[in-house]
């Protein structure tokens, strides 16, 4: 319901500015402003202040404008916003006072907030956290991605457990976006050659404190209906749509930055989707008089590429004919070097040569990194043919382990506790392990009370969603149970939430149902498991895994101790990673490049229980969680069997007894030592702050510096 007539009182005139800068999502004071502004509306809009300001009543606004308590929170938040947008007193400014121009960061998805559905999962969350941290550190980052008007799909599950996908058209005025303008103040629209035609692309802007994000969109009246749909959905189309999207992101992104007067000095490609950036840049350098070779050298010197998966299907590759068709109009001055360029993407992974976007990026980026130490090794092994004759330890792939943005993922319950017990500057220095030593001083009772509250919030959230389905959709009682309504708010709760796909083995824990059942139903210490996650719309296998899990959730045999929460997104993720007691991950090693949800959980005192894959291979310290450590067998089926027995053993002999071992006051002191060690070992090392500083010091800073000193 639109409320066009509402007039924002003069005293609150900057509310729209606060609502449209996504910085509010990671600042407690700013969040408090919107909570207090109209709490029911805050909940009803799933925390969307832009929408709130369109729906709020004049009476409430007027009342807040006269409410001293509200005004003081508002004033503090506005001051904090001004400080968070200032360019001077930042880590980057002190570290690299004379660094040249901005850094362009390209990604096909960005997960910033649930009100902007332009992400599917881990890759997007990583990109979003990277941008937020860059804003905090003062790194002059400009993000470039897509504005998908229909976003990624919403998930529901049929009575048979089959995933149903639905797409919702975003109402532009309900989202924190605005048209991007050129230096002349005109809406930015650029032309992108696609095959034999030209597609127009408009550009939206998202504000994130010091960082800006530009999102490309082809839904313009001047385009054909087919082209208007090109940017409609994230990962929604076939190969043909995908390559066209990637051409628009790469070529259109470079053109959009130019049209807006940005001259990046470093280009970071997050995953291979954006690798056509290098085509456009080489072309422009040749236009300015460079040879192909010198243009390629310059591009290499200033391009950073991060690869994110060891799973072959995760790397986009296209038949050469498809690439030639869609790049037909893109060559310009690069025309004479067409074959040389096409060779840069040539890669044969055993099933014939294709144009591989990762190969293109590996061959044209001067710096390449993987996202955990283990993934670094796997990447060097996997892409050997890119560097013929170079032994695997010499291949130029470094590892920068992922991290999560602490202010985004840390619960307010724990923040408050840290405010009381840690040094006053803990927020600013949260990547310093020393800061966390004082976590030992938090009294057991207080820490346990915070953990208990977080579990209660999760269950209240789960019940409320189930109630809505029951009331509005009249789903069966079995499905109300499957949604988690029989969960025991005091029982040990394991969380498992991530994309449903084969290598993550979502239903591994059900392999021996009798043994699992005995653990779940132990009279003195029951256990329950909450699942969530989407399968990629084209991943039939993933949907079958989901169905297997869903059937367990509706099976009376498990007594309502297995739940499936549908439509996993950032909002659901916040409740889950904060409210469970243990976070579980059991991928088939070494296919999990990093994984980040376990970091979010550990940060909140939810210890990780995982195979030693991805980040856990370096994150596990022996006492900050649990390692599922069965011997490697080399055969999938026997490996599954060995892993699941090791998992049951840990649950039965370590995890469940520790959780239910209580002192006379009912506090599980041994458990809390795992909680403390999870927080203090993970918060500093696996924070986006540590990660982004590592990118800055090993890649961004060095690539930016010479530019000014160099005489070209
Ligand atoms: C963190 C997160 C992910 C990634 O989880 P992994 O453990 O890395 O698979 C996916 N989706 C959402 C919504 C997340 O918040």
């Amino acid at each position: 319901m639109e409320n066009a007539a509402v007039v924002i009182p003069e005293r609150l005139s900057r509310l729209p500015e606060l609502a449209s800068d996504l910085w509010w999502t990671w600042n407690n004071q700013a969040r408090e402003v919107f909570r207090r502004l109209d709490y029911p509306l805050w909940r009803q809009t799933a925390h969307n202040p832009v929408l709130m300001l369109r729906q709020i009543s004049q009476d409430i606004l007027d009342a807040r404008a006269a409410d001293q308590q509200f005004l003081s929170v508002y004033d503090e938040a506005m001051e904090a916003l001004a400080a968070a947008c200032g360019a001077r007193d930042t880590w980057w400014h002190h570290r690299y006072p004379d660094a040249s121009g901005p850094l362009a960061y390209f990604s096909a998805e960005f997960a910033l907030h649930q009100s902007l559905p332009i992400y599917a999962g881990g890759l997007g969350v990583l990109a979003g956290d990277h941008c937020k941290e860059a804003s905090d550190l003062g790194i002059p980052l400009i993000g470039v991605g897509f504005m998908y008007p229909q976003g990624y799909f919403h998930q529901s599950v049929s009575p048979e457990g089959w995933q149903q996908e639905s797409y919702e058209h975003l109402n532009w005025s309900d989202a924190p976006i605005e048209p991007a303008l050129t230096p002349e103040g005109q809406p930015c629209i650029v032309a992108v050659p696609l095959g034999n035609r030209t597609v127009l692309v408009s550009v939206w802007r998202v504000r994130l404190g010091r960082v800006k994000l530009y999102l490309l969109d082809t839904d313009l009246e001047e385009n054909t209906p087919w082209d208007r749909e090109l940017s409609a959905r994230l990962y929604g189309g076939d190969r043909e749509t995908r390559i066209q999207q990637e051409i628009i992101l790469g070529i259109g992104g470079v053109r959009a930055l130019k049209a807006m007067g940005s001259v990046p000095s470093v280009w970071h490609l997050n995953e291979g989707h954006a690798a056509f950036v290098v085509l456009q840049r080489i072309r422009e350098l040749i236009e300015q008089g460079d040879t192909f070779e010198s243009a390629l050298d310059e591009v290499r010197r200033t391009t950073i590429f991060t690869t994110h998966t060891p799973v072959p299907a995760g790397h986009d590759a296209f038949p050469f004919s498809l690439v030639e068709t869609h790049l037909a109009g893109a060559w310009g001055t690069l025309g004479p070097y067409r074959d040389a360029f096409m060779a840069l993407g040539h890669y044969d992974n055993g099933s014939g040569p294709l144009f591989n976007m990762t190969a293109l990026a590996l061959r044209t980026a001067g710096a390449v990194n993987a996202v955990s130490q283990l993934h670094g090794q796997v990447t060097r092994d996997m892409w050997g043919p890119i560097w013929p004759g170079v032994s695997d330890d010499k291949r130029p792939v470094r590892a920068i382990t992922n991290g999560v943005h602490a202010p985004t993922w840390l619960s307010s319950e724990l923040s408050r506790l840290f405010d009381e017990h840690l040094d006053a500057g803990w927020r600013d220095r949260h990547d310093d392990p020393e800061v966390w030593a004082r976590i030992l001083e938090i009294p057991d009772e207080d820490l346990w009370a915070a953990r208990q509250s977080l579990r209660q919030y999760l269950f209240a959230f789960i019940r409320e969603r189930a109630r809505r389905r029951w009331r509005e959709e009249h789903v069966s009682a079995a499905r109300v149970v499957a949604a988690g309504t029989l969960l025991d708010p005091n029982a040990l709760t394991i969380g498992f939430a991530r994309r449903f796909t084969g290598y993550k083995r979502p239903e591994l824990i059900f392999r021996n149902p009798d043994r699992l059942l005995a653990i779940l139903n132990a009279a003195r210490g029951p256990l329950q498991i909450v699942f969530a996650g989407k399968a990629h719309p084209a991943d039939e296998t993933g949907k079958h895994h989901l169905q297997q899990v869903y059937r367990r959730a509706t099976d009376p045999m498990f007594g309502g101790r297995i739940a499936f929460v549908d439509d996993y997104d950032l909002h659901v993720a916040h409740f889950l990673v904060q409210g469970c007691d243990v976070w579980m991950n059991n991928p088939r090693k070494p296919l999990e490049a990093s994984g980040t949800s376990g970091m979010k959980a550990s940060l909140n005192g939810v210890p990780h229980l995982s195979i030693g894959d991805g980040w856990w291979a370096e994150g596990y310290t022996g006492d900050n969680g649990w390692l599922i450590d069965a011997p490697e067998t080399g055969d999938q089926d026997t490996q599954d069997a060995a892993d699941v027995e090791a998992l049951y053993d840990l649950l039965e002999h370590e995890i469940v007894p520790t959780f239910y071992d209580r002192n006379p006051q009912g506090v599980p002191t041994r458990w809390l030592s795992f909680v403390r060690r999870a927080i203090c070992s993970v918060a500093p090392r696996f924070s986006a702050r540590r990660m982004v500083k590592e990118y800055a010091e090993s890649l961004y800073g060095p690539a930016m510096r010479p530019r000014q000193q160099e005489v070209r």
Side-chain angles (χ1 to χ4, degrees), residues 618-630:
E618 62 202 88
Y620 176 62
T621 59
D623 58 10
N624 63 345
W626 300 274
L627 181 68
I628 307 169
D629 194 19

Side-chain angles (χ1 to χ4, degrees), residues 459-531:
F459 287 145
F461 174 76
I462 285 178
R463 273 195 304 272
E464 202 42 50
R465 276 170 80 110
R467 193 189 318 282
R468 206 169 56 213
R469 292 257 186 290
W470 175 236
R471 198 178 53 216
E472 291 172 7
E473 296 163 30
H474 305 268
V475 298
S476 70
R479 298 175 67 200
V480 177
V481 170
T485 42
L486 285 188
L487 294 172
D488 174 351
N490 293 307
L492 172 59
T493 305
I494 293 187
F496 181 103
R498 50 184 52 83
R499 191 157 51 88
F500 272 65
T501 188
Y503 80 85
K504 295 191 185 242
R505 298 189 292 185
E507 76 269 35
L508 183 72
I509 199 168
F510 298 106
R511 196 178 156 103
N512 182 346
D514 294 333
R515 185 151 184 215
L516 176 62
L517 209 52
I519 298 172
L520 293 179
N521 284 329
R524 283 185 183 279
L527 178 72
Q528 51 198 6
I529 314 175
V530 181
F531 287 89

Side-chain angles (χ1 to χ4, degrees), residues 212-224:
K212 284 187 288 284
L213 208 63
Y214 291 124
L215 303 176
L216 312 180
D217 171 22
T218 63
D219 189 15
L220 282 163
E221 274 180 16
E222 293 85 342
N223 289 331
T224 63

Side-chain angles (χ1 to χ4, degrees), residues 119-122 125 409 497-499 504 568-570 573 583 585 592 594-598 600:
Y119 64 93
V125 177
W409 292 104
R498 50 184 52 83
R499 191 157 51 88
K504 295 191 185 242
Y568 186 49
D569 68 356
L570 285 177
W583 197 256
N585 193 16
E592 185 82 290
S594 166
T596 54
S597 58
K600 302 168 195 165

